[in-house]
Each structure stands twice: as C-alpha cells, then as structure tokens.
Amino acid sequence: PAGLEALGPGVFQDCPNLTRIVYDGYTGSGNALPASLAEITGCAFKGVPITNLTVEGLTKAYNYAFSSADQLKSITFANDCKITEIPGYCFRYDAMLETVVLPDNITIIGTYAFSDCTALGFLTLPAKVTETGNYAFAYSGLKAIDVSNVTTMGTYTFGYCEGLESVVLNENLTKIANGTFFDCYSLANLVIPKDVTVFESNAFVGT
C-alpha cells in the first residue's frame, strides 16, 4: 500500500515467484517502494527474484536489509531518502548487483555492506561519506573507486578485491589500516597520501 511504513525481518524472504513489488498508484515499469516507508529490517528481500528496485523516503535501514537478494542487479535510493548510513551487511551476497545509486546524505558505509557483491565493478560514493567499516567492500568485484572524502577506513576495506585496479584516497589520510588492500592482485594505480605515517599489518599483502 502507498502508506506502508515498515518492512519487518524477512518479510518477503524466499518468495521465489515474487517478481514484482510496487505500491498503489505507482506507474513506473520497475519495482518500487513508497515514500512513506520509514524502515527496512533484515533480510527483507532474501531469495526474492526481483532484478531492480527504487527506494524513496527511507529513514532507516537495518543490518542485512537487502542481503542475499541474489538476483538484484540495480537499486536506486531517491534523494528524498533520509538515511545517513548504509548499514552492516546491507548488500552482502548480492552477487548480481551491478548498479547502486546512493542518496547524497550517506556518511557511513557499514561493516561488510557491499562484501561479496562480485558483479559490482564501480560505485560512486556521495561526497559526505567519511567512514567505511571493516570489510565494507571485501570480496567484491570493484575495479575502481574514489574514496577521497573518506577519513576513517576500517580493516580489510578492500580485502580480497582481486580485480581492483585503481583507488583514490583522501589526501589527509594518516593510516592504512590492517588488510586494507589484502590480495588486491590487480591494483596498479594508488597514490599514498603524504601524511600517512602508519601501515598496519597485512595492509598490502598479495598486492
């Protein structure tokens, strides 16, 4: 319904025939959630065979909100979304996810948020993102990313990103955290900021 306010844990989980999700009055061709929706909790779309989704008005997403939506290829958060964080494990194991459009007010990418998104080659982070959690993009298919506004990076942020070729870091970064580029075999374009004084263990192992 157009006035929907929340999606509970696993609300659509393992509904193999659910290929269309819309609300009353929606006239678009894809799947969409209404602007009235304030909260999405864990595993709401796990195992649901939708390939695209537009999210409007969202105030809060919980850990695992879109995790294991294994046929999801694209998701767009409208700029009227009020969320400021992509929570932990949010898109983990979304193996077909190729396109993510984030709202401008995101400031934090949580732990394991995009881990194991193996089809995600590129992602544009909003300018307000200043923090990435542990393993935020680990095991993903990223090829290039600009994190020049990120001042706090968790451990293994890009760990095991074997296809990662280029990363732009914040020029004021002072530390490369443990395992940040662990096993990034393809990394060829990286400028270490002049203020970096600490390389933690395993930061570049296998790179």
Side-chain angles (χ1 to χ4, degrees):
L4 184 68
E5 296 181 355
L7 293 179
V11 61
F12 297 119
Q13 183 171 339
D14 297 323
C15 293
N17 298 315
L18 183 61
T19 58
R20 178 89 163 134
I21 298 175
V22 295
Y23 55 89
D24 291 343
Y26 180 71
T27 58
S29 58
N31 299 290
L33 300 175
S36 60
L37 185 65
E39 296 185 354
I40 297 176
T41 53
C43 298
F45 301 94
K46 181 179 180 181
V48 177
I50 59 170
T51 59
N52 62 79
L53 186 63
T54 297
V55 181
E56 302 176 18
L58 191 65
T59 300
K60 184 173 180 61
Y62 289 82
N63 287 357
Y64 298 94
F66 301 96
S67 177
S68 300
D70 51 12
Q71 295 189 48
L72 187 65
K73 293 184 177 180
S74 67
I75 185 167
T76 297
F77 292 87
N79 262 329
D80 64 351
C81 287
K82 301 174 181 64
I83 56 172
T84 58
E85 177 180 0
I86 299 300
Y89 308 87
C90 189
F91 296 101
R92 194 176 191 194
Y93 299 126
D94 289 0
M96 296 183 69
L97 188 62
E98 299 174 346
T99 303
V100 180
V101 178
L102 298 173
D104 291 342
N105 49 342
I106 294 294
T107 61
I108 298 172
I109 306 295
T111 298
Y112 285 94
F114 292 96
S115 176
D116 298 278
C117 293
T118 52
L120 187 65
F122 301 94
L123 177 67
T124 299
L125 296 182
K128 293 180 181 179
V129 173
T130 59
E131 180 179 342
T132 58
N134 299 340
Y135 292 83
F137 304 102
Y139 302 97
S140 74
L142 281 177
K143 296 182 182 299
I145 190 167
D146 184 336
V147 288
S148 57
N149 291 312
V150 176
T151 55
T152 302
M153 297 175 66
T155 62
Y156 289 84
T157 293
F158 301 107
Y160 308 95
C161 291
E162 297 178 1
L164 185 63
E165 299 173 357
S166 177
V167 178
V168 179
L169 296 174
N170 187 299
E171 63 181 13
N172 296 316
L173 201 66
T174 60
K175 178 181 72 174
I176 306 296
N178 179 27
T180 297
F181 298 105
F182 190 94
D183 276 358
C184 293
Y185 302 137
S186 304
L187 189 61
N189 186 3
L190 176 71
V191 176
I192 304 298
K194 60 180 176 57
D195 291 333
V196 170
T197 57
V198 177
F199 291 102
E200 293 190 340
S201 61
N202 301 319
F204 294 96
V205 168
T207 298

